[in-house]
Amino acid sequence: EGGGSSTVQVGGGGPDPSITDANGFYSLRGVETGVDLEVSASTESSSPAKTDVFTVGEGETRRRTDLVLNPAGTLAFEVTGGEDGYYLILAVYLGDKDTESKTEFSETRKGTISGMKPGVWSITAQPVGPNSSDQISEKVEVEIEAAQETEVVIEI
C-alpha cells in the first residue's frame, strides 16, 4: 500500500493461501517483522474487509486483529442494443473511495457480479475486442442490498 507496507489476503487463494479455522481464527507465518501490515479478507457472499495497519516485532504474536465480513449483494446484468461481441461491465461504488471497482466480461450480454458492498453503484458497459466501437453506455445507478440479487438492464 505504499510506504513499505504489505497487504496480506486471507482466503484469497493463490499458491499459499491463509485460511481461517472453524472459529474464524487465522495465523500468518513468515511475515516480515518491522513493516506495516494490513490483513484483508473476502468471500463471494460478503463485502471485503481489512484491518487497520499494524506492525509486529520478531517473535511477537498479535491477537484480536479482527475482521468483520458483512453480507454482500449480487448484480445481475443484461446489455441491450449495440453490436454483438464481448462487453466489459464496470461497477464503481459511489459511497466511498476505498471500495474497489468491480469488472466483469460477458460474451452473452448477461452475467452477474457478486461480492458487492451494499449501497449505490454506478454501472457502465463498453464493447471490447478488435472490431468493437468506442461506444459506452450511459451510467446506470443501482442500489445493491445485502444478501440479495439486484437486476439491471444496461442499454448501449
Side-chain angles (χ1 to χ4, degrees), residues 116-141:
M116 297 183 75
K117 182 177 181 174
V120 179
W121 291 74
S122 173
I123 314 298
T124 56
Q126 176 179 353
V128 291
N131 298 320
S132 63
S133 69
D134 293 337
Q135 193 173 15
I136 299 175
S137 71
E138 293 289 324
K139 292 180 182 178
V140 178
E141 289 188 7

Side-chain angles (χ1 to χ4, degrees), residues 9 16 25 30 55 60 72-73 85 87 89 123 152:
Q9 179 79 21
D16 185 21
F25 294 104
T55 304
E60 181 181 355
Y87 281 87
I89 311 305
I123 314 298
V152 66

Side-chain angles (χ1 to χ4, degrees), residues 24-115:
F25 294 104
Y26 59 92
S27 295
L28 304 174
R29 303 203 187 293
V31 175
E32 189 174 344
T33 60
V35 298
D36 290 338
L37 299 171
E38 179 180 78
V39 178
S40 64
S42 62
T43 67
E44 288 218 359
S45 62
S46 66
S47 298
K50 59 186 172 182
T51 64
D52 292 333
V53 175
F54 63 95
T55 304
V56 292
E58 187 173 341
E60 181 181 355
T61 299
R62 174 149 177 151
R63 298 189 180 276
R64 306 300 304 168
T65 305
D66 294 333
L67 289 165
V68 177
L69 298 177
N70 294 311
T74 301
L75 176 73
F77 63 84
E78 180 179 358
V79 178
T80 61
E83 57 197 43
D84 288 338
Y86 288 92
Y87 281 87
L88 170 67
I89 311 305
L90 174 63
V92 177
Y93 187 70
L94 300 179
D96 61 53
K97 303 291 185 215
D98 293 333
T99 300
E100 288 186 30
S101 299
K102 294 190 171 277
T103 58
E104 183 70 26
F105 287 96
S106 176
E107 182 181 16
T108 63
R109 297 174 168 265
K110 294 182 179 183
T112 59
I113 302 175
S114 59

